[in-house]
Each structure stands twice: as structure tokens, then as C-alpha cells.
Amino acid sequence: MPTSIPTFAELLAKTSHHALHLEMRDVYGVESEDSAFAEWKRGGSRDFSDRLSWWSGFHQTVADGVSRGVQVRRARVVSEPVSEYIRFEHAGTVKNLAAGEEVRWLPRSRASDLLLPGNDVWIFDSFALKYGLFDGDGRHVGGQMDYDPEAVDRCLTAFNAVWERATPHSEYEL
């Protein structure tokens, strides 16, 4: 396995059909979100009317991929009742949707019989997996690439099983 970890943008640039993200944590300690999360906890709401204030390079990369025909889907497996962080994430999903992602939510209790990877994973077409590695507090500690076709197939099967059961974002109520 190669030791270098390509960026999301590099992998999406090589993708022609789909980029699929399977998220399975109830808490993420994303440093760039710390202040927004703290502010949200104080007030419980977020204003997304000023797109320039929150649109990022990630959103632009997704939008560019979607504009050239790449389907970007995100499936989130969550415990219920949901954590405070998942409430924050749900409120902020408007950003993912604005970039062109499709997002669905699956309660963990409905995923018990599914075989899922041990880490969050991005699946790029049928050529690569990019695992997100997190510590116990949800802080990102690195990534891991896998180009093994069998591993890609297993993760794609897992993602599709979650996607089929999951509820579209517009219908998922907290």
C-alpha cells in the first residue's frame, strides 16, 4: 500500500462516477468547527444566509465534482437519541446539500445486522478507499488509503446497505 495520503480534492479529481462517505461516529472533534460548535451550543441556531461566510474549499471541490457528473453521497450512522454534536451536524448539513451532496441518516439500531468497516471511509469509484482515523474524543489523527479491489467492494456493499435503509436528510427528524 502506498504511504502517501492523497487529499480529498486529488482523489475526487480522479473520480468519474461517485464519491461516497460513510460516517459512523456520534462525536467529531473537528478543530475548525470548535468555535462554531461552541457558539451553536450557546444559541442553538446557525445562520447560513451569508454563503460567503461558510463556503469553503471543500464545498467548492464537491460542487466542482458534482458539476462534472460525480455523484457525492454521505450516509451517517447515528445513535439515538442523537448526541449534541450530531444535532449541530444535522443543522449544518445545509452546507453539504448546497455543494451538491446527497445526505442520509440511519439510526444505529437499524444497522445492527450490517457489516460495516471499522472506520469512517470515503469510497472513490471502485479504485480507492480513504479511511478517516479518529481518537476516542473524535479528533482526526490521520488517514489510511486502501486500493485493494476486494476491500473497496466490501466497503461499497456496506455503504449501499446503509444508504438503502437510511432516511433522506429532508425527512430525518431529530
Side-chain angles (χ1 to χ4, degrees):
M1 232 183 319
T3 56
S4 65
I5 307 290
T7 66
F8 174 78
E10 291 168 335
L11 290 162
L12 192 60
K14 296 177 183 176
T15 301
S16 51
H17 302 293
H18 60 256
L20 312 173
H21 194 192
L22 183 56
E23 294 181 347
M24 297 176 292
R25 297 187 56 86
D26 289 319
V27 176
Y28 290 91
V30 181
E31 195 172 321
S32 64
E33 291 179 342
D34 286 348
S35 62
F37 185 37
E39 185 177 326
W40 179 84
K41 288 194 293 187
R42 287 192 296 275
S45 66
R46 296 163 75 185
D47 179 13
F48 296 107
S49 60
D50 178 15
R51 181 171 153 160
L52 291 177
S53 70
W54 57 263
W55 191 260
S56 69
F58 172 80
H59 298 109
Q60 190 60 55
T61 298
V62 169
D64 291 345
V66 169
S67 72
R68 60 181 178 81
V70 176
Q71 185 178 47
V72 181
R73 294 187 291 165
R74 182 183 303 257
R76 293 173 168 149
V77 179
V78 296
S79 300
E80 290 183 325
V82 300
S83 67
E84 190 171 28
Y85 180 84
I86 293 298
R87 288 185 181 285
F88 167 77
E89 190 172 55
H90 187 273
T93 296
V94 65
K95 299 184 301 185
N96 302 84
L97 300 173
E101 281 191 50
E102 297 174 61
V103 179
R104 291 189 181 181
W105 303 79
L106 181 64
R108 194 172 311 284
S109 62
R110 294 188 52 222
S112 297
D113 63 331
L114 299 179
L115 299 176
L116 301 175
N119 293 294
D120 287 10
V121 62
W122 275 100
I123 306 163
F124 297 93
D125 284 345
S126 295
F127 73 87
L129 302 172
K130 184 175 184 177
Y131 296 104
L133 306 178
F134 298 87
D135 69 14
D137 294 323
R139 297 277 176 199
H140 187 258
V141 295
Q144 187 176 50
M145 292 301 301
D146 194 340
Y147 299 95
D148 175 47
E150 290 179 13
V152 173
D153 188 54
R154 285 191 304 270
C155 286
L156 186 56
T157 297
F159 180 90
N160 287 332
V162 169
W163 190 259
E164 287 177 24
R165 289 187 189 183
T167 302
H169 176 75
S170 63
E171 300 171 23
Y172 184 69
E173 297 181 20
L174 300 180

